[in-house]
Amino acid sequence: MTIPRLAVRAFPLMVLWLFLVASLAGAEETVAGRPAAEALRLGEAMYQRGILPSGKPMRALVQGDLELSGTMTTCANCHMRSGLGSAEGGIFTPPTSGKKLYAPLTGQQDIPGPTMSRSMFQNPPRPAYDDASLLRALVYGVDPTGRSFSATMPRYLLEPDEAQILLYYIKQLSSTTSPGITDTRMHLATIVSDGVDAKAWEAQLAPLQAFFDKEWNARLAILGSQWNARWFGPGGKPGGGLTYREVAFEVWRLTGKPETWEAQLAEYYRRQPVFAVVGGSVSGSWSPVHRFCEKGKIPCLFPATELPQVAEQDLYTLYFSKGYFQEGEAAAKYLSRVVELPPGREVVQVFRDNEAGRALSRGFAETWSKFGKNLLRDVKLEATRSTGKAFWEELAARHPGAVLLVWLPAEDLAGVELLAQGPQRPSTLFFSSTLIEDRLTAVPEPLRDFSFLTWPKRLPGDGDYTRQLVRGWLGNKKLPVTDLAASAQSYFITRMLSVALIDMGTDYYRDFFLDLLDCSPDQVNSSLRYPVLSFGPGQRYASKGCYIVAVGKGAQPKLVKKSDWVIY
């Protein structure tokens, strides 16, 4: 039986409610005839992605008669993954987690999150929901007092077993404090592996340690429960009790081959679970750490890596950017949208068969498959294959007039100037500024008139204000400036944490922590490396852009900007 539309009579709802009550009697073992763990997984798919247990999209009525389906009507779209609501763009959405719904909502003090969320709560008080009233809310859009919700709140068309599964998930949502939290402490970790430059790592680690020891923990030690009680007392109400936690921060060091890292991380976690991983640096790809954090649903914030796991649907790792992949992506967008290529013009990627080369080539190829029209070929160099005069001459002869994407480091570019000679010269060349380590003279002058660089960071001369901020903060913490770029990345993390840890209040749920970060305003002065870092629900790469630049003439060439930060 499908729940009728808004004109439904009371009898079908009574039948559904009796079905629900009878089924919940055995809820410890089964939910709607399914094991509880399976029901939780299916309920998550309904709440987060709008997918019914049958695999079909959910259906709902909006604005009285507009029927929508699937991801357009998910609970998480408005109430966030944690179910603790949000305030964005002048729109307030209240919490929908079981712990909040099954308690009275008396005023602003019962709203989780930042002050803005609390101040936007203007609704009259309501009593606690129970299973019956929550079911009426989902189907008919009324609260326990009978007041109607906004017409934009979906009224869901659910079968009895579907309703039971969704209610079961909502009741479990953000109901138990996440691992890594004790009565007095929040445990956090950062990660480093063998092979990471010691100087750069110390420059990353010191600001994080200084923030926790000299800023966060020091503030708690001085202000203690008076500071906490003023804002978040027991149950979210003012009036006593320690609520913020001292941070216990540790370093997880990985040794040996990357294929052993997940097991090492699991052992660290077994000894002491952590609420989140912050920062970190490894030699090679971040993928083993990414997989570990995704499996454990552990937030992982802003590791220093050019080799992230590019997986748009994963949820728990928040990166600065897509790294090398993003440079390939930007080149494909620029080439397909700005450069007019005649039909039949080949596009050829030249790259080493290593992690950096594969990431660049994959970023280009996946984007080119969506926008590009010309044939794409790959020239893959094994580790033992060298470049040089003969290599470049052969490449030009095999692919005359082609667009060449030379995804190679500076040491592989010896003799590349030969490409400028003769009628077989390429029409266009691309290089990665990250791979050539910003050594602009690695692009020989004869090639510069038809060459471009991917430039995934601020342009030279930009960021002076941020540089002053970072130096000032480091000086205040009495930290030496040994690697400003590395320290600046950690400085950015501390600025994000300084807000999110306060806004989290007493609600120590990992998904809520990520929700708060996802709703952060754009950052234009906090990052020394990136001109803009922006956030949004489910967005896991804060940098959305990459310049395309040309190299000027001379021994000390300047960059010439050829694209905006974001290539539309």
Side-chain angles (χ1 to χ4, degrees), residues 38-219:
E38 181 185 358
L40 201 62
R41 178 179 60 80
L42 295 172
E44 181 180 46
M46 295 177 71
Y47 183 94
Q48 307 287 5
R49 297 186 287 115
I51 302 298
L52 292 169
S54 65
K56 296 180 179 179
M58 291 175 66
R59 296 181 301 131
L61 298 177
V62 180
Q63 301 286 3
D65 62 358
L66 178 63
E67 184 171 325
L68 301 177
S69 67
T71 58
M72 298 179 69
T73 60
T74 67
C75 308
N77 277 356
C78 295
H79 300 279
M80 310 303 288
R81 287 185 56 80
S82 63
L84 296 184
S86 69
E88 192 171 11
I91 298 174
F92 170 76
T93 55
T96 56
S97 66
K99 188 175 180 179
K100 301 293 184 182
L101 289 174
Y102 284 73
L105 184 58
T106 58
Q108 292 183 3
Q109 71 274 9
D110 295 327
I111 301 298
T115 301
M116 183 176 69
S117 296
R118 298 165 185 275
S119 65
M120 289 180 66
F121 176 72
Q122 304 296 333
N123 297 17
R126 62 150 177 81
Y129 281 90
D130 56 21
D131 290 338
S133 58
L134 183 53
L135 177 64
R136 286 195 296 271
L138 291 170
V139 176
Y140 298 114
V142 294
D143 75 1
T145 68
R147 291 187 296 257
S148 294
F149 298 143
S150 163
T152 57
M153 168 70 186
R155 278 64 165 167
Y156 291 99
L157 309 176
L158 299 171
E159 298 287 349
D161 62 331
E162 296 165 351
Q164 185 183 352
I165 289 171
L166 182 57
L167 260 66
Y168 178 72
Y169 176 75
I170 289 174
K171 292 174 76 172
Q172 310 303 316
L173 181 62
S174 297
S175 61
T176 305
T177 297
S178 295
I181 301 293
T182 70
D183 289 342
T184 59
R185 286 188 169 187
M186 169 187 288
H187 290 270
L188 300 175
T190 191
I191 294 170
V192 65
S193 77
D194 289 345
V196 171
D197 179 78
K199 179 181 175 181
W201 171 242
E202 180 56 33
Q204 289 179 52
L205 180 61
L208 295 175
Q209 291 177 320
F211 169 72
F212 294 126
D213 294 341
K214 300 179 182 180
E215 195 166 315
W216 182 262
N217 290 347
R219 185 186 302 164

Side-chain angles (χ1 to χ4, degrees), residues 164-490:
Q164 185 183 352
I165 289 171
L166 182 57
L167 260 66
Y168 178 72
Y169 176 75
I170 289 174
K171 292 174 76 172
Q172 310 303 316
L173 181 62
S174 297
S175 61
T176 305
T177 297
S178 295
I181 301 293
T182 70
D183 289 342
T184 59
R185 286 188 169 187
M186 169 187 288
H187 290 270
L188 300 175
T190 191
I191 294 170
V192 65
S193 77
D194 289 345
V196 171
D197 179 78
K199 179 181 175 181
W201 171 242
E202 180 56 33
Q204 289 179 52
L205 180 61
L208 295 175
Q209 291 177 320
F211 169 72
F212 294 126
D213 294 341
K214 300 179 182 180
E215 195 166 315
W216 182 262
N217 290 347
R219 185 186 302 164
L220 290 184
I222 295 171
L223 300 176
S225 61
Q226 292 182 359
W227 181 56
N228 289 290
R230 181 184 174 196
W231 300 104
F232 302 101
K237 297 180 175 65
L242 181 68
T243 58
Y244 290 124
R245 305 298 198 266
E246 176 186 74
V247 168
F249 182 58
E250 60 181 295
V251 178
W252 289 355
R253 298 186 181 277
L254 303 176
T255 61
K257 296 180 179 180
E259 50 264 35
T260 69
W261 289 355
E262 287 184 71
Q264 293 179 51
L265 292 168
E267 178 58 20
Y268 276 120
Y269 188 85
R270 185 192 66 79
R271 294 176 191 171
Q272 177 55 68
V274 296
F275 183 77
V277 171
V278 294
S281 184
V282 300
S283 57
S285 172
W286 191 258
S287 292
V289 183
H290 179 106
R291 289 193 297 267
F292 170 79
C293 290
E294 290 295 320
K295 289 176 185 176
K297 297 184 176 181
I298 304 167
C300 179
L301 309 183
F302 303 112
T305 181
E306 296 295 339
L307 291 166
Q309 178 75 44
V310 179
E312 299 285 356
Q313 302 305 312
D314 286 351
L315 297 167
Y316 288 91
T317 304
L318 182 54
Y319 293 103
F320 282 108
S321 77
K322 296 178 185 177
Y324 287 118
F325 184 100
Q326 195 154 317
E327 292 186 65
E329 190 177 58
K333 289 180 180 179
Y334 185 83
L335 193 59
S336 63
R337 298 172 181 179
V338 178
V339 180
E340 291 288 340
L341 295 183
R345 178 67 51 83
E346 274 190 317
V347 179
V348 181
Q349 296 194 94
V350 185
F351 59 95
R352 288 275 177 200
D353 189 16
N354 55 27
E355 290 180 319
R358 289 192 294 269
L360 277 157
S361 63
R362 180 186 161 206
F364 184 90
E366 290 187 8
T367 310
W368 190 252
S369 69
K370 301 173 187 176
F371 303 117
K373 298 178 181 178
N374 295 57
L375 178 66
L376 175 63
R377 297 187 185 277
D378 287 345
V379 175
K380 190 185 304 184
L381 280 67
E382 301 299 331
T384 56
R385 187 177 180 186
S386 62
T387 57
K389 178 181 177 181
F391 172 80
W392 299 114
E393 288 177 341
E394 180 184 356
L395 185 69
R398 284 180 176 271
H399 307 285
V403 173
L404 293 184
L405 305 143
V406 183
W407 304 137
L408 294 173
E411 55 266 27
D412 273 334
L413 298 183
V416 71
E417 63 273 8
L418 292 172
L419 292 176
Q421 300 174 8
Q424 296 178 324
R425 67 162 238 187
S427 62
T428 308
L429 284 166
F430 276 85
F431 300 90
S432 160
S433 68
T434 306
L435 263 189
I436 66 172
E437 299 175 321
D438 297 353
R439 292 156 60 182
L440 302 184
T441 54
V443 180
E445 197 154 345
L447 303 179
R448 294 178 191 174
D449 286 339
F450 55 99
S451 292
F452 299 97
L453 286 177
T454 52
W455 194 269
K457 49 190 173 291
R458 290 184 185 271
L459 294 169
D462 187 17
D464 289 343
Y465 175 70
T466 305
R467 191 171 289 104
Q468 293 176 10
L469 286 179
V470 177
R471 285 184 177 275
W473 188 87
L474 294 173
N476 179 265
K477 298 295 185 289
K478 295 181 170 54
L479 298 176
V481 180
T482 57
D483 186 330
L484 187 62
S487 293
Q489 288 188 298
S490 293

Side-chain angles (χ1 to χ4, degrees), residues 522-543:
D522 288 358
Q523 302 292 310
V524 295
N525 290 317
S526 298
S527 172
L528 181 60
R529 179 175 174 82
Y530 302 100
V532 179
L533 293 174
S534 58
F535 304 87
Q539 297 179 21
R540 288 295 167 258
Y541 308 92
S543 168

